[in-house]
Amino acid sequence: MSLFNVCTWWSTQCPDSGEHYDVASLLCARFGLETQEKDYIIVGSQTGQLSIYYPHGKGYEATDLMLETQMSGPILGLYAGKFSGNVGNQNAQQLGVLQPNAIVIYNVQAVNGLSEHGSQLRLQLVVEHKFQRVAFSLCQGHFGQVKGREFYCIVHLDGTLTFYEQDGICYECRFPGQRALPAPVVYCQRTDSFYRFSATWFLQCYSYQDLSHSLISKSSYQPTWTQSIGEGIMDMRVVQVKDNCSNILILGEHNFISLDDNGRLNFMLKLDYAPKCFYSFVVGYYWEPGARLITAIISDSSKMHLYEEANIIWAAQYQSHATAPVAIQRSNVNDLPGAIVTLGPKGLLEVGYLGAEPYQFQVKPLNIEELSFAQAHKELQQLEDEIKEAVDVRDMDALNQQAADQVRLHFSIESKIADEDLDTLLMDVPADVAVKELPSAKGLLRFKIKAELTELQLVIHTPDGVRCSQDTFSMIDVPAGLSREIKLDFYISELLHIYTTKVQVVASFVSPRGIPRVIQQSSYLPLTMFYRMCQPQKAAGIKLTYTITSRHVQPKLSNFFHEFLEDHSESQALGLQLLCPGHEKLNEIITIVAAKNSNRLRIQSDYIETFGMILERIVETTLKQDTAKGHLRMDKKKPKRGILNRCVERIVAVPFIPSEPILHRVDAHHQTQQNIRKQTEQLEELWQQFKTLQRQLQELTESEPKEALTMQIETNYDQLILEGDKLVEIRRDERRQRSDVNCSIALAKWIIHALNLEERVVNVVNSVLSVPIEDWTELCWEESMAPGIDMLHHFGPLTRSKSTSTHGLLDANSGTKDTFDYTRFRRHFASLFDRIVRLATASSSSSAAAGADSSQVGEKSVEGMASKPVDEIANMQNMLADASVRPIGKLKTNMSSSLEAVEDDEEYDEDDLHEEPGYRKNYGPTDDSQKSGKDGKSRSEWVNEDFELPTTEELFSDLGIWW
């Protein structure tokens, strides 16, 4: 016998005394009939008996029964909400009665009584919807996050959902996968999602947008997230406890489970009794920090258990119930706020409150201890040290090293391709990729935990078009000393142009003190996954030249492409063909040629998409081998003003950027974005027409003809399907073109990375030209890139303006254009590449000329060389140059305005590599009337009055707002 009991304050027996009640037979709600209104108690039985009670005080009176009627069919559930928009009172709610074959919506109206008989209620029919299928339950809410009205959907026994809006529109949808068991479906307003319990005991989340558009687009949709429950459930509710999160509370057969609206488990409470029903509510307001989640669970022994989160705070026994209640609600009735309303299986309705017999109260003795200031100061110092350790980021190297010591991470990818497991991988790739039988690669991920962690997550980032067999790995409560080894498979999943072979592993973890840390490692996929050897080409439209300036790196093709050539191979030319081109009828071939008598490499191809991975391999291999020989790492030195790009100590590129092919890919991508927006607007217009026609069909009476309107609806529906298929096809083209733009931007970045420019300039341009590119619903990549390109166009060393009034330029251009101007963006984009090439060409020519002059002076006299002034940038180049590396000669600048490809000689020789790469393009007049300076050099806007390169201060005169 329990010491604490649920005290009865009001009780009555419903008209139907049989066992015809369940959890959906009880409802406590208000209908907005008066200003100081309290809750009405509505009870409906499965025999059709509907009763409405309004307790006026302690103990049941005859006037408490406001309405009693017999419905035409069994009552499966009772619901209250703003189901009709034609009510003048904003606080008024309607009563929804769910029957097996219909849903009936009533307006509850008050009828004033005469003398002592009291007031009564009556039901006014608003709308009745008939079903073709048998109903199971009803789900209501502000679907689509609308305000001021509520929609509802009917859950049928076969898993079908029928949605109803206030204006009479209804549509059906089915959940994907297995057939659903009869289980409740609940709605979360914060995320605009539905939660459904599947036949496999999984809780699945579906967005309302996917459900509402599933019939229109006829596209397959998957749940947003899925969480295993592991047992059957009895009831489910959604309660918002915090401002940024809602809780999904599930009463299972043996457990009480709480999840947040993102599918993360809050707690799982093991019950040592058989539950019957439950009810959860929030004490306080959810936006306040002190809000408490309280749950009342009724057991099969008529005992109520009260929990705060997962902790039990009270238990009380029902003495009046011979059998356990089947439904429980919390209500505010007259003279008793926060009452507990229960309904028994035979119709015993009871309003009670928590009490104790006998009442015992003892005051706890006060625990007064003497305060030790020394001990308090020591504890305060420990807390300050912990806070400082968590938030002090002044020494990032020490923090990164500490994080690397806590989690030892090792990630590697085999250089040899694997074909034996290809049959198992075909299950995850589309048919058009599977038929090509493309190679795959194997990787190995090892990690060892040195310190205890509360959370650990590993994420593997692969480029678009490449998929990993396991891209995420999560753990909680990780003990120290744990070590794991994960075998990975990498394979091509889409026929896209891939701009990089880099695969990155990001490990994020949280210490027991709540300190988050992130470490990352990377490795590179073998080129044999994407290329195969072929015959080299002698002619190509795009030619790039790199010079290996490091004495520690041998300029041999076998040194860079060991997958295709053996170590002792002396081959001077290598041809590679892409295995997964964007257009299957084209053979996208790239040729790499090594010079016989110099350290130069030429890379040439007709397709710009083939360069990204090859240039990445050449530059990264050069930097890696040079660093391994004892040179300092480039990232250990912070770039200072006036310091040249340190990459030219290892490898330097000829100043040429194929801007026209890059802009051609950007034009195609922008045009596709415009087509997507137009197609989306057209679909939206057709969808509005479709809804209008449906409303007109609903408003027609039975006597009016419907054939013409039905034909219009069918035609509009067919057009919707057709336009939706077009949008899907445009989306596929957008993905292919996005990958092409990624390859183009990656090509420009690898060229700029090895140009003879100031390192600060290289870093800024590469940070603006970031890959991979992203497109959003309201903002395409071009629109997001426009501010960065515009700032590079107006400020810094790449601008033509010599004005130092930075704020004036900002104010002048801040409000000139409200919309995106693609022509202006394209012009600035092309001008950016043009100025980079000209600045790099001028720097390379000046450095080579200064090096030649200094060598001649050195032969005459060392003292004379010290007495002559030396250019700043040329002096820096001489300091960085290595004595064993031959100087870079001045490049010929023979370019014409026509975009005509340079013709090659018949053989690969040294003269072919010294030709000017790329397209011929002339900048400015070339006739004899051109103005010349003292030394015969043409006057340029990049040269000052003394015919010297601008100093560092002149280059960065306008970059004060950036660095």
Side-chain angles (χ1 to χ4, degrees), residues 254-267:
H254 305 285
N255 299 278
F256 179 59
I257 305 168
S258 174
L259 306 170
D260 63 9
D261 49 16
N262 291 322
R264 187 177 63 179
L265 181 66
N266 292 331
F267 63 85

Side-chain angles (χ1 to χ4, degrees), residues 692-704:
T692 302
L693 293 174
Q694 281 189 326
R695 290 190 184 97
Q696 294 177 3
L697 184 63
Q698 292 285 342
E699 293 173 357
L700 293 179
T701 60
E702 297 181 358
S703 60
E704 295 178 347

